[in-house]
Amino acid sequence: MNQKHRDAIDSCCEDIVPRINVVKLWPKLLENKVFNRDDVNVPRWMKSLVNESTVRDIYLTIKTRGPFAFDRFLASLRQSGHENLADTLERKKIAAFPHNGMQTIDNENNATNDIDTEETNLIVSTEGAQDNFFHNMQQSEVPLQIQVRKATEFLDGPVYENVQKYPMRSKPRGLVLLITNINYTYSDELPRSSAALDEQNLKQLFQQMGFQVIPYLDLTGQELIEKVKEFSQREDLRKVDSCFVIISSHGTINAQYEVTEIEGVDYNAESKLQNYKSVFCMDILDYFTTEACPHLAGKPKVFMFQLCRGEKKQKSVKEPRHTTDTCNFHSSDEMTSRKVNGNETMRNYADMLVAYATLPGHAAFRDKITGSWFLQILCEVFMNYSYKTHLQDLLSMVDDRLKIQRTTKEECQTLTVTLIGFNQHCYLNPGLFEET
């Protein structure tokens, strides 16, 4: 934990401890991983949990629980009805680190949706040292510096706990189609200027991991479809073990079909041009089925969409309500299989992972200075942990950081990940290649 966070906890101790309802707070401390149930102190605390001396001990012990503990403690306070105590600590922190964060959201009404908030100070841990990116991001205009931790051994053996692993050893490891829309033709769309930092970070991230990146900027709807189709037909996909398609753009919900639509730079929300080409996220996947893209049959195909899926802003609440959100993909008739290589039968839609920055119908937030919430955190997690962690767990870590580090008093954002026949672990093995 940062020393000034420790100082804030110490200086507020006498004010906060007597006002804590530990019966309400304790479950949230466990839920938010401030403490684990097997913590050596727990049996002792449970004997006299409501005593003020125990509460004081719990409160002060938070200082020893790692770089995320301060922000997780604030979240626990708010979720257990202690908003005023969280505000007290946050004011103390802001007094030490004055900053006014700036955010915007990636949808067609961007011009009216700029937000000024005071966000929590974010500290990210790395192996053996603290990475202060999230702290610095809140205090300065310095973007994330990409430095990928390279793998030292391949983690793509045949079986792990009865789950197969995708082979990930090719050089390059895979191809990455990176489409970033920044400057829009019509005046009702503000430029997504900070998205340029996302593009820069993603290029460096995947190149350092051993991927080949094919970037494009400012595509119209028609151009976007053409580039995706062209990419899916590349002959060199036959020689690699994976592909990523990452699209960062304004987005919206198509009212007619109730699906997420990517806005090309020629999109006009008020009156669509007669020749405008609508681009739906799920249509992108059609170019990578086994039938349409046989070079990637049986290989992991990952799709990431940094864009709004509507105008609703997800509100943070005192008591979180948990539910499962599903998207309507292709009908069962379309989930057909075909014969490949003689008698071998493969499913047409398979080995696909789709990650959206936000929930259906909701906005995706982007810091005006340092880039989008989702892609910033994704780059930090991938560069520090992909050497030992498979893809689904990496994205779970991304969402955990979105929950803890990017939940303000007013807004929050939830990552949505869908697996379509993606039933194996995928270790990226960054920077590690077999000897020729």
Side-chain angles (χ1 to χ4, degrees):
M1 181 181 293
N2 183 278
Q3 181 59 47
K4 293 193 176 180
H5 283 175
R6 294 191 185 98
D7 293 342
I9 289 174
D10 286 336
S11 63
C12 295
C13 180
E14 298 305 321
D15 179 27
I16 287 180
V17 168
R19 299 159 60 191
I20 290 177
N21 183 333
V22 73
V23 175
K24 291 184 177 181
L25 177 62
W26 180 250
K28 296 302 177 183
L29 294 177
L30 295 176
E31 179 182 320
N32 291 323
K33 301 179 183 178
V34 179
F35 296 107
N36 296 319
R37 296 183 185 277
D38 57 355
D39 191 294
V40 66
N41 295 297
V42 171
R44 174 170 56 86
W45 289 338
M46 289 298 101
K47 292 178 181 179
S48 55
L49 184 63
V50 297
N51 288 354
E52 185 171 324
S53 60
T54 301
V55 177
R56 183 186 303 274
D57 191 20
I58 293 172
Y59 175 84
L60 294 175
T61 302
I62 290 169
K63 296 185 296 180
T64 69
R65 287 303 179 266
F68 293 121
F70 186 84
D71 297 311
R72 292 174 190 245
F73 181 47
L74 288 181
S76 301
L77 286 171
R78 297 193 189 284
Q79 293 167 8
S80 60
H82 296 84
E83 293 91 343
N84 55 338
L85 303 188
D87 291 343
T88 298
L89 270 175
E90 196 161 30
R91 282 194 297 269
K92 182 67 67 174
K93 176 203 69 177
I94 292 169
F97 298 103
H99 172 75
N100 289 321
M102 293 184 291
Q103 317 166 74
T104 185
I105 58 177
D106 281 334
N107 69 2
E108 69 278 12
N109 293 320
N110 192 345
T112 60
N113 283 311
D114 289 346
I115 307 160
D116 292 299
T117 62
E118 294 177 331
E119 297 180 310
T120 56
N121 184 40
L122 306 175
I123 306 294
V124 179
S125 64
T126 60
E127 295 292 320
Q130 286 190 359
D131 180 347
N132 289 324
F133 164 62
F134 284 106
H135 162 64
N136 292 333
M137 183 182 68
Q138 301 305 314
Q139 312 308 321
S140 69
E141 299 182 8
V142 179
L144 174 66
Q145 301 299 308
I146 301 297
Q147 186 61 53
V148 172
R149 178 161 184 172
K150 304 299 176 62
T152 57
E153 61 177 332
F154 288 108
L155 298 176
D156 56 2
V159 178
Y160 171 72
E161 294 180 353
N162 298 319
V163 178
Q164 296 289 328
K165 299 178 185 178
Y166 290 108
M168 292 288 282
R169 300 197 177 201
S170 63
K171 187 175 184 179
R173 184 74 73 240
L175 301 189
V176 179
L177 175 62
L178 176 58
I179 297 175
T180 308
N181 286 340
I182 298 176
N183 299 298
Y184 281 72
T185 304
Y186 298 100
S187 59
D188 61 344
E189 296 284 20
L190 290 180
R192 304 175 64 250
S193 301
S194 60
L197 289 174
D198 292 332
E199 190 213 24
Q200 175 184 319
N201 286 340
L202 288 166
K203 283 196 293 187
Q204 292 181 9
L205 174 74
F206 281 94
Q207 286 169 353
Q208 289 184 31
M209 288 197 298
F211 289 77
Q212 179 183 345
V213 181
I214 298 94
Y216 293 101
L217 287 174
D218 295 343
L219 300 184
T220 65
Q222 182 62 45
E223 290 170 340
L224 196 152
I225 286 293
E226 290 172 357
K227 294 304 181 184
V228 169
K229 183 177 181 180
E230 177 185 304
F231 176 82
S232 71
Q233 299 305 305
R234 290 177 63 110
E235 281 294 322
D236 46 355
L237 287 173
R238 177 174 53 86
K239 302 177 182 179
V240 299
D241 287 338
S242 64
C243 90
F244 281 72
V245 176
I246 306 174
I247 299 177
S248 174
S249 176
H250 282 312
T252 186
I253 185 73
N254 183 283
Q256 180 178 359
Y257 299 106
E258 296 184 350
V259 294
T260 305
E261 181 174 351
I262 306 166
E263 296 181 11
V265 295
D266 57 337
Y267 181 92
N268 189 336
E270 297 300 324
S271 57
K272 281 190 177 182
L273 299 177
Q274 188 174 3
N275 61 350
Y276 176 79
K277 175 65 175 178
S278 296
V279 184
F280 304 140
C281 288
M282 292 311 300
D283 288 346
I284 301 295
L285 275 60
D286 292 341
Y287 292 97
F288 296 89
T289 63
T290 301
E291 186 172 16
C293 184
H295 291 331
L296 290 174
K299 301 176 184 179
K301 298 165 279 287
V302 182
F303 305 86
M304 296 180 174
F305 298 104
Q306 166 57 42
L307 40 84
C308 282
R309 308 177 69 186
E311 300 180 14
K312 293 190 290 185
K313 299 177 191 175
Q314 188 184 173
K315 298 296 183 181
S316 53
V317 295
K318 296 179 182 178
E319 295 293 334
R321 287 174 285 182
H322 302 281
T323 186
T324 300
D325 294 282
T326 59
C327 296
N328 293 319
F329 292 101
H330 299 269
S331 66
S332 58
D333 291 338
E334 293 176 306
M335 300 293 284
T336 57
S337 61
R338 62 186 292 270
K339 288 191 175 182
V340 183
N341 299 329
N343 294 324
E344 182 184 358
T345 300
M346 300 185 71
R347 293 180 297 179
N348 205 16
Y349 288 84
D351 308 298
M352 295 179 176
L353 184 152
V354 186
Y356 290 94
T358 189
L359 295 173
H362 287 73
F365 289 93
R366 176 169 42 83
D367 189 291
K368 288 182 178 179
I369 298 175
T370 53
S372 67
W373 289 9
F374 168 48
L375 294 180
Q376 288 176 84
I377 295 175
L378 182 142
C379 286
E380 181 273 324
V381 168
F382 275 45
M383 77 178 191
N384 286 323
Y385 299 101
S386 61
Y387 78 98
K388 65 174 183 178
T389 308
H390 65 78
L391 185 58
Q392 287 122 297
D393 280 356
L394 289 172
L395 292 172
S396 295
M397 294 169 68
V398 171
D399 187 60
D400 185 58
R401 281 159 166 72
L402 274 174
K403 178 183 74 172
I404 299 298
Q405 300 169 341
R406 278 303 200 177
T407 296
T408 70
K409 295 179 183 178
E410 300 295 333
E411 284 85 25
C412 57
Q413 186 170 316
T414 300
L415 179 64
T416 304
V417 178
T418 301
L419 307 180
I420 305 177
F422 197 95
N423 51 28
Q424 302 181 46
H425 286 165
C426 181
Y427 288 90
L428 301 179
N429 299 319
L432 184 63
F433 302 98
E434 294 179 322
E435 295 294 333
T436 303

